[in-house]
Amino acid sequence: MSDQPAYKRVLLKVSGEALMGSRDYGLDTAVCRRIAEDVKGVVDLGVEVCLVIGGGNIFRGVAGAAAGMDRAQADSIGMLATVMNALAMQSALEKIGVPTRVQSAIPMSSVCEPFIRRRAVRHMEKGRVVIFAAGTGNPFFTTDTAAALRAAEMGCDALLKGTQVDGVYSADPRKNPAAERYVTLTYLDMLARDLAVMDAAAISLARENHLPIIVFNIHEPGAFTAVMKGEGRFTTVHEDH
Ligand code: UDP
């Protein structure tokens, strides 16, 4: 394998759950630090990196709605949770010398920039990591869809989804030892098999924009860098044949 990364610009989606580590709720700063180190490793390869951070470690709109809240209102709370996570990741990245900007889809000018696509592109050209917060800014969406949307808008070569396991499996490998890992899958396979890795809106958006999705284990130190070099274990989701 070549030492040169295969990608020029990528978007990494990190779920809120990933930032929680082994806790039941909230942020584990040690996990944020470790993920920041991995992002730095990829930036050091010369790849432009942007991030979308979820909020499920703090609040999910669906759960709020199930408990009797108005869904749109609950989703606004969920989006605000992603801003907290984004600020925590910014802090972790800047601590290790990675210049970072947070752009929020819900303007919050005293803590971060508003989302301005052209400005985000400029930040990335200057070597800054841009963290997109507050999802799409709309209720009834997820941060997976926000990740596909921002990756398309930013002209990324790939959308990376860091998960708890090293790719897409036929069943949950933590529950079913017979589960098989797919090396490649098409967008239609993902949609038809309802593989619960990303929601259908995100997969459809990636498919329409010819954006490969790469699923890998965010908890394995160095895995992000390895994936960028075409090494390690991951699943690639690509064009239908
Ligand atoms: N959310 C939303 N619109 C978006 C993105 C997120 O309303 O475009 C809300 C939604 O309530 C969601 C919460 O933010 O449950 C947290 O995002 P998500 O569940 O995608 O986080 P993750 O599962 O990645 O931690």
Side-chain angles (χ1 to χ4, degrees), residues 13-17 53-57 59-62 71 74-79 81-82 134-144 146 161:
K13 158 74 205 287
V14 181
S15 69
E17 207 180 62
I53 314 279
N57 55 324
F59 196 87
R60 277 186 214 279
V62 172
R71 170 69 192 266
D75 278 339
S76 293
I77 301 174
M79 287 187 274
T82 73
T136 63
N138 300 292
F140 302 99
F141 284 89
T142 65
T143 50
D144 278 355
K161 165 110 184 183

Side-chain angles (χ1 to χ4, degrees), residues 14-93:
V14 181
S15 69
E17 207 180 62
L19 301 183
M20 193 160 71
S22 52
R23 295 165 182 238
D24 297 330
Y25 175 84
L27 285 158
D28 182 334
T29 47
V31 173
C32 295
R33 207 159 40 231
R34 211 206 42 67
I35 294 174
E37 293 283 357
D38 280 358
V39 170
K40 182 176 191 305
V42 172
V43 170
D44 289 347
L45 288 176
V47 180
E48 294 176 11
V49 182
C50 51
L51 305 176
V52 164
I53 314 279
N57 55 324
I58 302 172
F59 196 87
R60 277 186 214 279
V62 172
M69 268 186 197
D70 172 71
R71 170 69 192 266
Q73 187 81 336
D75 278 339
S76 293
I77 301 174
M79 287 187 274
L80 296 178
T82 73
V83 181
M84 293 192 235
N85 287 335
L87 294 177
M89 275 310 296
Q90 176 173 45
S91 168
L93 283 161

